Amino acid sequence: MEALKLELKERIIDALNLEDITPADIQDNDPLFGDGLGLDSIDALELIVLLDKEYGIKLADPKQGKEIFQSIETMAQYVATNRTKL
């Protein structure tokens, strides 16, 4: 699971062009939106595309994203359980 968390951090940084942030800057349980990493609704759409492209996960309900994208920890758990691509 640690490898998946690191991979998610790296892919988020790349997908969202977070130039001044390294994977070490993102704590597993920090919020991704608001006070944590400070992502916004446009970033959420990018994360949905990332899940589909990289892991074969399609989110039908955008409200689902709110739960999944709480933190790296919640994303990793969801990806580990639902991925269709390795």
Side-chain angles (χ1 to χ4, degrees):
M1 186 71 95
E2 292 306 312
L4 177 57
K5 289 179 194 176
L6 178 61
E7 179 181 312
L8 282 169
K9 290 175 187 180
E10 290 170 345
R11 289 188 179 194
I12 288 170
I13 289 167
D14 287 343
L16 303 180
N17 297 317
L18 303 175
E19 296 171 358
D20 298 333
I21 295 179
T22 67
D25 295 331
I26 305 171
Q27 300 305 308
D28 292 349
N29 290 307
D30 281 355
L32 296 178
F33 294 86
D35 293 337
L37 198 52
L39 303 184
D40 61 23
S41 58
I42 302 297
D43 296 325
L45 294 174
E46 292 287 336
L47 293 179
I48 290 169
V49 170
L50 177 112
L51 286 184
D52 184 14
K53 189 170 107 181
E54 301 296 334
Y55 302 104
I57 296 172
K58 296 192 184 305
L59 297 184
D61 183 1
K63 291 178 184 162
Q64 220 180 353
K66 206 169 196 175
E67 294 172 21
I68 297 165
F69 302 142
Q70 287 179 28
S71 67
I72 292 295
E73 183 71 39
T74 57
M75 271 187 81
Q77 289 174 0
Y78 189 82
V79 168
T81 306
N82 296 285
R83 73 191 304 172
T84 59
K85 289 182 181 177
L86 293 176

Coordinates of all heavy atoms in Angstrom, one line a residue:
M1 N 0.8 -1.2 0.0 CA 0.0 0.0 0.0 C 0.9 1.3 0.0 O 0.5 2.3 -0.6 CB -0.9 0.0 1.2 CG -1.9 1.1 1.3 SD -3.2 1.0 0.1 CE -4.5 0.3 1.0
E2 N 2.0 1.2 0.6 CA 2.9 2.4 0.7 C 3.4 2.7 -0.8 O 3.5 3.9 -1.1 CB 4.1 2.1 1.6 CG 3.8 2.0 3.0 CD 3.0 3.2 3.6 OE1 3.4 4.4 3.3 OE2 2.0 3.0 4.2
A3 N 3.7 1.7 -1.6 CA 4.1 2.0 -3.0 C 3.0 2.6 -3.8 O 3.2 3.6 -4.5 CB 4.5 0.7 -3.6
L4 N 1.7 2.2 -3.5 CA 0.6 2.8 -4.2 C 0.4 4.2 -3.8 O 0.1 5.1 -4.6 CB -0.7 2.0 -3.9 CG -2.0 2.5 -4.5 CD1 -1.9 2.7 -6.0 CD2 -3.2 1.6 -4.1
K5 N 0.6 4.5 -2.5 CA 0.4 5.9 -2.0 C 1.5 6.8 -2.7 O 1.1 7.9 -3.1 CB 0.6 6.0 -0.5 CG -0.6 5.4 0.2 CD -0.4 5.4 1.7 CE -1.3 4.5 2.5 NZ -1.0 4.5 3.9
L6 N 2.7 6.3 -2.7 CA 3.8 7.1 -3.4 C 3.4 7.3 -4.9 O 3.6 8.4 -5.4 CB 5.1 6.4 -3.2 CG 6.3 7.2 -3.9 CD1 6.5 8.6 -3.3 CD2 7.6 6.3 -3.7
E7 N 3.0 6.3 -5.5 CA 2.6 6.4 -6.9 C 1.5 7.4 -7.1 O 1.6 8.2 -8.0 CB 2.2 5.0 -7.4 CG 1.7 4.9 -8.8 CD 1.3 3.6 -9.2 OE1 2.0 2.6 -8.9 OE2 0.2 3.5 -9.8
L8 N 0.5 7.4 -6.3 CA -0.6 8.3 -6.4 C -0.1 9.8 -6.2 O -0.5 10.7 -6.9 CB -1.7 8.0 -5.3 CG -2.6 6.9 -5.7 CD1 -3.5 6.5 -4.4 CD2 -3.5 7.2 -6.8
K9 N 0.8 10.0 -5.2 CA 1.3 11.3 -5.0 C 2.0 11.8 -6.2 O 1.9 12.9 -6.6 CB 2.3 11.3 -3.7 CG 1.6 11.1 -2.4 CD 2.6 10.9 -1.3 CE 1.9 10.6 0.0 NZ 2.9 10.4 1.1
E10 N 2.9 10.9 -6.8 CA 3.6 11.3 -8.0 C 2.7 11.6 -9.1 O 2.9 12.6 -9.9 CB 4.6 10.2 -8.3 CG 5.8 10.1 -7.3 CD 6.6 8.8 -7.5 OE1 6.2 7.9 -8.3 OE2 7.7 8.8 -7.0
R11 N 1.7 10.8 -9.3 CA 0.8 11.0 -10.5 C -0.1 12.3 -10.3 O -0.4 13.0 -11.2 CB -0.1 9.8 -10.7 CG 0.7 8.7 -11.2 CD -0.1 7.5 -11.6 NE 0.9 6.5 -12.1 CZ 0.5 5.4 -12.8 NH1 -0.8 5.2 -13.0 NH2 1.4 4.6 -13.2
I12 N -0.5 12.6 -9.0 CA -1.2 13.8 -8.8 C -0.3 15.0 -9.0 O -0.8 16.0 -9.7 CB -1.7 13.8 -7.3 CG1 -2.9 12.8 -7.2 CG2 -2.2 15.2 -6.9 CD1 -3.3 12.5 -5.7
I13 N 0.9 15.0 -8.6 CA 1.8 16.1 -8.8 C 2.0 16.3 -10.3 O 1.9 17.4 -10.8 CB 3.2 15.9 -8.1 CG1 3.0 16.0 -6.6 CG2 4.2 16.8 -8.6 CD1 4.1 15.5 -5.8
D14 N 2.2 15.2 -11.1 CA 2.3 15.3 -12.5 C 1.1 15.8 -13.2 O 1.1 16.7 -14.0 CB 2.7 14.0 -13.2 CG 4.2 13.6 -12.8 OD1 5.0 14.5 -12.5 OD2 4.5 12.5 -13.0
A15 N -0.1 15.2 -12.9 CA -1.3 15.5 -13.6 C -1.8 17.0 -13.3 O -2.4 17.6 -14.2 CB -2.4 14.5 -13.1
L16 N -1.5 17.5 -12.1 CA -2.0 18.8 -11.7 C -0.9 19.9 -11.8 O -1.1 21.0 -11.5 CB -2.6 18.8 -10.3 CG -3.7 17.8 -10.1 CD1 -4.2 17.9 -8.6 CD2 -4.8 18.0 -11.0
N17 N 0.3 19.5 -12.4 CA 1.4 20.4 -12.5 C 1.7 21.1 -11.2 O 1.9 22.4 -11.2 CB 1.1 21.4 -13.6 CG 1.0 20.7 -15.0 OD1 1.8 19.8 -15.3 ND2 0.0 21.1 -15.7
L18 N 1.8 20.4 -10.1 CA 2.2 21.0 -8.8 C 3.7 21.1 -8.7 O 4.3 20.3 -8.1 CB 1.6 20.2 -7.7 CG 0.1 19.9 -7.7 CD1 -0.4 19.0 -6.6 CD2 -0.7 21.2 -7.7
E19 N 4.2 22.1 -9.3 CA 5.7 22.3 -9.5 C 6.5 22.4 -8.2 O 7.6 21.9 -8.1 CB 6.0 23.5 -10.4 CG 5.4 23.3 -11.8 CD 5.5 24.5 -12.6 OE1 6.0 25.6 -12.1 OE2 5.1 24.4 -13.8
D20 N 5.9 23.1 -7.2 CA 6.7 23.3 -6.0 C 6.4 22.3 -4.9 O 6.8 22.4 -3.7 CB 6.3 24.7 -5.4 CG 6.7 25.8 -6.4 OD1 7.6 25.6 -7.2 OD2 6.0 26.9 -6.4
I21 N 5.8 21.1 -5.3 CA 5.4 20.1 -4.3 C 6.1 18.8 -4.6 O 6.2 18.4 -5.8 CB 3.9 19.9 -4.2 CG1 3.3 21.2 -3.7 CG2 3.5 18.8 -3.3 CD1 1.8 21.2 -3.6
T22 N 6.6 18.1 -3.6 CA 7.2 16.8 -3.8 C 6.3 15.8 -3.1 O 5.5 16.2 -2.2 CB 8.6 16.7 -3.2 OG1 8.5 16.8 -1.8 CG2 9.5 17.8 -3.8
P23 N 6.4 14.5 -3.4 CA 5.6 13.5 -2.7 C 5.8 13.6 -1.2 O 4.9 13.3 -0.4 CB 6.2 12.2 -3.3 CG 6.6 12.5 -4.6 CD 7.2 13.9 -4.5
A24 N 7.0 13.9 -0.7 CA 7.3 14.0 0.7 C 6.5 15.2 1.4 O 6.2 15.1 2.6 CB 8.8 14.2 1.0
D25 N 6.1 16.1 0.6 CA 5.3 17.3 1.1 C 3.8 16.9 1.4 O 3.1 17.6 2.1 CB 5.3 18.4 0.1 CG 6.6 19.1 -0.1 OD1 7.5 19.0 0.9 OD2 6.9 19.6 -1.2
I26 N 3.4 15.8 0.8 CA 2.0 15.4 0.9 C 1.9 14.3 1.9 O 2.4 13.2 1.7 CB 1.4 14.9 -0.4 CG1 1.6 15.9 -1.5 CG2 -0.1 14.5 -0.3 CD1 1.3 15.5 -2.9
Q27 N 1.2 14.5 3.1 CA 1.0 13.5 4.1 C -0.2 12.7 3.7 O -1.1 13.1 3.1 CB 0.8 14.2 5.5 CG 1.9 15.1 5.9 CD 3.3 14.3 5.9 OE1 3.4 13.3 6.5 NE2 4.3 14.9 5.3
D28 N -0.1 11.4 4.1 CA -1.1 10.4 3.7 C -2.5 10.8 4.1 O -3.5 10.5 3.4 CB -0.8 9.0 4.2 CG 0.4 8.4 3.6 OD1 0.9 9.0 2.6 OD2 0.9 7.4 4.1
N29 N -2.7 11.4 5.3 CA -4.0 11.7 5.8 C -4.3 13.2 5.7 O -5.4 13.6 6.2 CB -4.1 11.3 7.3 CG -4.1 9.8 7.3 OD1 -4.9 9.1 6.7 ND2 -3.2 9.2 8.1
D30 N -3.5 14.0 5.1 CA -3.8 15.4 4.9 C -5.0 15.6 3.9 O -5.0 14.8 2.9 CB -2.6 16.2 4.3 CG -1.6 16.5 5.4 OD1 -1.8 16.3 6.6 OD2 -0.5 17.1 5.0
P31 N -5.9 16.5 4.1 CA -7.0 16.7 3.1 C -6.4 17.2 1.8 O -5.4 18.0 1.8 CB -7.8 17.8 3.8 CG -7.3 18.1 5.1 CD -6.0 17.4 5.3
L32 N -6.9 16.7 0.7 CA -6.4 17.1 -0.6 C -7.1 18.4 -1.0 O -6.5 19.2 -1.8 CB -6.8 16.0 -1.7 CG -6.1 14.7 -1.5 CD1 -6.5 13.7 -2.5 CD2 -4.6 14.8 -1.5
F33 N -8.2 18.7 -0.5 CA -8.9 20.0 -0.8 C -9.0 20.9 0.4 O -8.8 20.4 1.5 CB -10.4 19.6 -1.3 CG -10.3 18.9 -2.6 CD1 -10.2 17.5 -2.6 CD2 -10.4 19.6 -3.8 CE1 -10.2 16.8 -3.8 CE2 -10.4 18.9 -5.0 CZ -10.2 17.5 -5.0
G34 N -9.2 22.2 0.1 CA -9.4 23.1 1.2 C -8.0 23.4 1.9 O -7.0 23.7 1.2
D35 N -8.0 23.2 3.2 CA -6.8 23.6 4.0 C -5.6 22.7 3.7 O -4.4 23.1 4.0 CB -7.1 23.6 5.5 CG -8.1 24.7 5.9 OD1 -8.2 25.7 5.1 OD2 -8.7 24.5 6.9
G36 N -5.8 21.5 3.3 CA -4.6 20.6 3.0 C -3.8 21.0 1.8 O -3.1 22.0 1.8
L37 N -3.9 20.2 0.8 CA -3.2 20.5 -0.5 C -3.7 21.7 -1.2 O -3.1 22.3 -2.1 CB -3.2 19.2 -1.3 CG -2.1 19.1 -2.4 CD1 -0.7 19.3 -1.9 CD2 -2.2 17.7 -3.1
G38 N -5.0 22.0 -0.9 CA -5.6 23.2 -1.6 C -6.1 23.0 -3.0 O -6.2 23.9 -3.8
L39 N -6.5 21.8 -3.3 CA -7.0 21.5 -4.6 C -8.4 22.1 -4.8 O -9.1 22.4 -3.8 CB -7.1 20.0 -4.9 CG -5.7 19.3 -4.8 CD1 -5.9 17.8 -5.2 CD2 -4.6 19.9 -5.6
D40 N -8.9 22.3 -6.0 CA -10.2 22.8 -6.2 C -11.1 21.9 -7.1 O -10.6 20.8 -7.5 CB -10.1 24.2 -6.8 CG -9.4 24.3 -8.2 OD1 -9.4 23.2 -8.9 OD2 -8.9 25.3 -8.6
S41 N -12.2 22.3 -7.6 CA -13.1 21.5 -8.3 C -12.6 21.1 -9.7 O -12.8 20.0 -10.2 CB -14.5 22.1 -8.5 OG -14.3 23.4 -9.2
I42 N -11.8 21.9 -10.3 CA -11.1 21.6 -11.6 C -10.1 20.5 -11.4 O -10.0 19.5 -12.1 CB -10.4 22.8 -12.2 CG1 -11.4 24.0 -12.4 CG2 -9.7 22.4 -13.5 CD1 -12.5 23.7 -13.4
D43 N -9.4 20.5 -10.2 CA -8.5 19.5 -9.9 C -9.2 18.2 -9.7 O -8.7 17.1 -10.0 CB -7.7 19.9 -8.6 CG -6.8 21.1 -8.9 OD1 -6.3 21.3 -10.0 OD2 -6.7 21.9 -7.9
A44 N -10.4 18.2 -9.1 CA -11.2 17.0 -8.9 C -11.5 16.3 -10.2 O -11.4 15.1 -10.3 CB -12.4 17.3 -8.1
L45 N -11.8 17.1 -11.2 CA -12.1 16.5 -12.5 C -10.8 15.9 -13.1 O -10.9 14.8 -13.7 CB -12.6 17.6 -13.5 CG -13.9 18.2 -13.2 CD1 -14.2 19.4 -14.1 CD2 -15.0 17.2 -13.2
E46 N -9.7 16.5 -12.9 CA -8.4 15.9 -13.3 C -8.1 14.6 -12.6 O -7.6 13.6 -13.2 CB -7.2 16.9 -13.1 CG -7.3 18.1 -13.9 CD -6.9 17.8 -15.4 OE1 -6.2 16.8 -15.7 OE2 -7.4 18.6 -16.2
L47 N -8.5 14.5 -11.3 CA -8.3 13.3 -10.5 C -9.2 12.2 -11.0 O -8.8 11.0 -11.1 CB -8.5 13.5 -9.0 CG -7.5 14.4 -8.3 CD1 -7.9 14.6 -6.9 CD2 -6.1 13.9 -8.5
I48 N -10.4 12.5 -11.4 CA -11.3 11.5 -12.0 C -10.8 11.0 -13.3 O -10.8 9.7 -13.5 CB -12.7 12.2 -12.2 CG1 -13.4 12.4 -10.8 CG2 -13.6 11.3 -13.1 CD1 -14.7 13.3 -10.9
V49 N -10.2 11.8 -14.1 CA -9.6 11.4 -15.4 C -8.4 10.5 -15.1 O -8.2 9.5 -15.7 CB -9.2 12.6 -16.2 CG1 -8.3 12.2 -17.4 CG2 -10.4 13.4 -16.7
L50 N -7.6 10.9 -14.1 CA -6.4 10.1 -13.7 C -6.8 8.7 -13.2 O -6.2 7.7 -13.7 CB -5.7 10.8 -12.6 CG -4.5 10.1 -12.0 CD1 -3.2 10.8 -12.4 CD2 -4.6 10.0 -10.5
L51 N -7.8 8.6 -12.4 CA -8.3 7.3 -12.0 C -8.7 6.4 -13.1 O -8.4 5.2 -13.2 CB -9.4 7.4 -11.0 CG -9.1 7.9 -9.6 CD1 -10.4 7.9 -8.7 CD2 -8.0 7.0 -8.9
D52 N -9.4 7.0 -14.1 CA -9.9 6.2 -15.3 C -8.7 5.8 -16.1 O -8.6 4.6 -16.5 CB -10.9 7.1 -16.1 CG -11.5 6.4 -17.2 OD1 -11.4 5.1 -17.3 OD2 -12.1 7.1 -18.1
K53 N -7.9 6.7 -16.5 CA -6.7 6.5 -17.4 C -5.7 5.5 -16.8 O -5.3 4.6 -17.4 CB -6.1 7.8 -17.7 CG -5.0 7.7 -18.8 CD -4.6 9.1 -19.3 CE -3.2 9.3 -18.8 NZ -2.7 10.6 -19.1
E54 N -5.3 5.7 -15.5 CA -4.2 4.9 -14.9 C -4.7 3.6 -14.3 O -3.9 2.7 -14.2 CB -3.5 5.8 -13.9 CG -2.9 7.1 -14.5 CD -1.8 6.8 -15.5 OE1 -1.2 5.7 -15.5 OE2 -1.6 7.7 -16.4
Y55 N -5.9 3.6 -13.7 CA -6.4 2.5 -12.9 C -7.6 1.8 -13.4 O -8.1 0.9 -12.9 CB -6.5 2.9 -11.5 CG -5.3 3.5 -10.9 CD1 -5.1 4.9 -10.7 CD2 -4.2 2.7 -10.5 CE1 -4.0 5.4 -10.2 CE2 -3.0 3.2 -10.0 CZ -2.9 4.6 -9.9 OH -1.8 5.1 -9.4
G56 N -8.2 2.4 -14.5 CA -9.4 1.8 -15.1 C -10.6 1.9 -14.2 O -11.6 1.2 -14.3
I57 N -10.6 3.0 -13.3 CA -11.7 3.2 -12.4 C -12.6 4.4 -13.0 O -12.1 5.5 -13.2 CB -11.2 3.6 -11.0 CG1 -10.5 2.4 -10.4 CG2 -12.4 4.0 -10.1 CD1 -9.8 2.8 -9.1
K58 N -13.9 4.0 -13.2 CA -14.8 5.1 -13.7 C -15.7 5.5 -12.6 O -16.4 4.6 -12.0 CB -15.6 4.5 -14.9 CG -14.8 4.2 -16.1 CD -15.6 3.9 -17.3 CE -14.9 3.5 -18.5 NZ -13.8 4.3 -18.9
L59 N -15.8 6.8 -12.3 CA -16.7 7.3 -11.3 C -18.0 7.8 -12.0 O -17.9 8.7 -12.7 CB -16.0 8.4 -10.5 CG -14.8 8.1 -9.7 CD1 -14.3 9.3 -8.9 CD2 -15.1 6.9 -8.7
A60 N -19.1 7.1 -11.7 CA -20.3 7.5 -12.3 C -20.9 8.6 -11.6 O -21.6 9.5 -12.2 CB -21.3 6.3 -12.3
D61 N -20.8 8.7 -10.3 CA -21.4 9.7 -9.4 C -20.3 10.6 -8.9 O -19.4 10.2 -8.1 CB -22.1 9.0 -8.3 CG -22.8 10.0 -7.4 OD1 -22.8 11.2 -7.6 OD2 -23.4 9.5 -6.4
P62 N -20.3 11.9 -9.3 CA -19.3 12.9 -8.8 C -19.3 13.0 -7.3 O -18.2 13.3 -6.8 CB -19.7 14.2 -9.5 CG -20.6 13.8 -10.6 CD -21.2 12.5 -10.3
K63 N -20.4 12.7 -6.6 CA -20.4 12.8 -5.2 C -19.5 11.8 -4.6 O -19.0 11.9 -3.5 CB -21.8 12.7 -4.7 CG -22.7 13.8 -5.0 CD -24.1 13.7 -4.5 CE -24.9 14.8 -4.9 NZ -26.3 14.6 -4.9
Q64 N -19.3 10.7 -5.3 CA -18.4 9.6 -4.9 C -17.0 10.1 -4.7 O -16.2 9.8 -3.8 CB -18.4 8.5 -6.0 CG -18.4 7.1 -5.4 CD -18.4 6.1 -6.6 OE1 -18.5 6.5 -7.8 NE2 -18.2 4.9 -6.3
G65 N -16.6 11.1 -5.6 CA -15.3 11.6 -5.6 C -15.0 12.3 -4.3 O -13.8 12.3 -3.8
K66 N -16.0 13.0 -3.7 CA -15.8 13.7 -2.5 C -15.3 12.8 -1.4 O -14.4 13.2 -0.6 CB -17.1 14.3 -2.1 CG -17.0 15.5 -1.2 CD -18.4 16.2 -1.1 CE -18.1 17.6 -0.6 NZ -19.3 18.4 -0.6
E67 N -15.8 11.6 -1.3 CA -15.4 10.6 -0.3 C -14.0 10.0 -0.7 O -13.1 9.9 0.2 CB -16.4 9.5 -0.2 CG -17.7 9.9 0.3 CD -18.7 8.8 0.2 OE1 -18.4 7.6 0.1 OE2 -19.9 9.1 0.3
I68 N -13.8 9.7 -1.9 CA -12.6 9.1 -2.4 C -11.4 10.0 -2.3 O -10.3 9.6 -1.9 CB -12.7 8.6 -3.8 CG1 -13.8 7.5 -3.9 CG2 -11.4 8.0 -4.4 CD1 -14.3 7.2 -5.3
F69 N -11.6 11.3 -2.6 CA -10.5 12.2 -2.7 C -10.3 13.0 -1.4 O -9.7 14.1 -1.4 CB -10.7 13.2 -3.8 CG -10.8 12.6 -5.2 CD1 -11.7 13.1 -6.1 CD2 -10.1 11.5 -5.5 CE1 -11.9 12.5 -7.4 CE2 -10.2 10.9 -6.8 CZ -11.1 11.4 -7.7
Q70 N -10.7 12.5 -0.3 CA -10.4 13.1 1.0 C -9.0 13.3 1.3 O -8.5 14.3 1.8 CB -11.1 12.4 2.1 CG -12.6 12.5 2.2 CD -13.2 11.7 3.3 OE1 -12.6 11.5 4.3 NE2 -14.5 11.3 3.1
S71 N -8.2 12.2 1.0 CA -6.8 12.2 1.3 C -6.1 11.1 0.4 O -6.8 10.3 -0.2 CB -6.6 11.8 2.8 OG -7.0 10.5 3.1
I72 N -4.8 11.1 0.5 CA -4.1 10.0 -0.2 C -4.5 8.6 0.3 O -4.6 7.7 -0.4 CB -2.5 10.2 -0.1 CG1 -2.1 11.5 -0.9 CG2 -1.8 9.0 -0.6 CD1 -2.3 11.4 -2.4
E73 N -4.6 8.6 1.6 CA -5.0 7.3 2.3 C -6.4 6.8 1.7 O -6.4 5.6 1.3 CB -5.2 7.5 3.8 CG -5.5 6.3 4.6 CD -4.3 5.3 4.7 OE1 -3.2 5.7 4.8 OE2 -4.6 4.1 4.6
T74 N -7.4 7.6 1.6 CA -8.7 7.2 1.1 C -8.6 6.9 -0.4 O -9.2 5.9 -0.8 CB -9.8 8.2 1.4 OG1 -9.4 9.5 0.8 CG2 -10.1 8.4 2.8
M75 N -7.8 7.6 -1.1 CA -7.6 7.3 -2.6 C -7.0 5.9 -2.7 O -7.4 5.1 -3.6 CB -6.8 8.4 -3.2 CG -7.5 9.5 -3.8 SD -6.5 10.6 -4.7 CE -6.4 9.8 -6.3
A76 N -5.9 5.7 -2.0 CA -5.2 4.4 -2.1 C -6.0 3.3 -1.8 O -6.0 2.2 -2.5 CB -3.9 4.5 -1.2
Q77 N -6.8 3.4 -0.7 CA -7.7 2.3 -0.4 C -8.7 2.0 -1.5 O -9.0 0.9 -1.8 CB -8.5 2.6 1.0 CG -7.6 2.6 2.2 CD -8.3 3.1 3.4 OE1 -9.4 3.4 3.4 NE2 -7.5 3.0 4.5
Y78 N -9.3 3.1 -2.0 CA -10.3 2.9 -3.1 C -9.6 2.3 -4.4 O -10.2 1.4 -4.9 CB -10.9 4.3 -3.5 CG -12.1 4.1 -4.4 CD1 -13.4 3.8 -3.9 CD2 -11.9 4.3 -5.8 CE1 -14.4 3.6 -4.8 CE2 -13.0 4.1 -6.6 CZ -14.2 3.8 -6.1 OH -15.3 3.6 -7.0
V79 N -8.5 2.8 -4.7 CA -7.8 2.2 -5.9 C -7.4 0.8 -5.7 O -7.6 -0.1 -6.6 CB -6.5 3.1 -6.3 CG1 -5.6 2.4 -7.3 CG2 -6.9 4.5 -6.8
A80 N -6.9 0.4 -4.5 CA -6.5 -0.9 -4.3 C -7.7 -1.9 -4.4 O -7.5 -3.0 -4.9 CB -5.9 -1.0 -2.9
T81 N -8.9 -1.4 -4.0 CA -10.1 -2.3 -4.0 C -10.7 -2.3 -5.4 O -11.3 -3.3 -5.8 CB -11.1 -1.7 -3.0 OG1 -10.5 -1.6 -1.7 CG2 -12.3 -2.6 -2.9
N82 N -10.7 -1.2 -6.2 CA -11.5 -1.1 -7.4 C -10.7 -1.1 -8.7 O -11.4 -1.0 -9.7 CB -12.3 0.1 -7.2 CG -13.3 0.0 -6.1 OD1 -14.3 -0.7 -6.2 ND2 -13.0 0.7 -5.0
R83 N -9.4 -1.1 -8.7 CA -8.7 -0.9 -9.9 C -8.9 -2.1 -10.9 O -9.1 -3.2 -10.5 CB -7.2 -0.7 -9.7 CG -6.5 -2.0 -9.2 CD -5.1 -1.7 -8.7 NE -4.2 -1.0 -9.7 CZ -3.0 -0.5 -9.4 NH1 -2.5 -0.7 -8.2 NH2 -2.3 0.1 -10.3
T84 N -9.0 -1.8 -12.2 CA -9.1 -2.8 -13.2 C -7.8 -2.9 -14.0 O -7.7 -3.8 -14.9 CB -10.3 -2.6 -14.1 OG1 -10.2 -1.3 -14.7 CG2 -11.6 -2.6 -13.3
K85 N -6.9 -1.9 -13.9 CA -5.6 -1.9 -14.6 C -4.5 -2.0 -13.6 O -4.6 -1.4 -12.5 CB -5.4 -0.6 -15.3 CG -6.3 -0.4 -16.5 CD -5.9 0.9 -17.2 CE -6.8 1.2 -18.4 NZ -6.4 2.5 -19.0
L86 N -3.5 -2.8 -13.9 CA -2.3 -2.9 -13.0 C -1.2 -2.0 -13.5 O -1.1 -1.6 -14.5 CB -1.9 -4.3 -12.8 CG -2.9 -5.2 -12.1 CD1 -2.3 -6.6 -12.1 CD2 -3.1 -4.7 -10.7

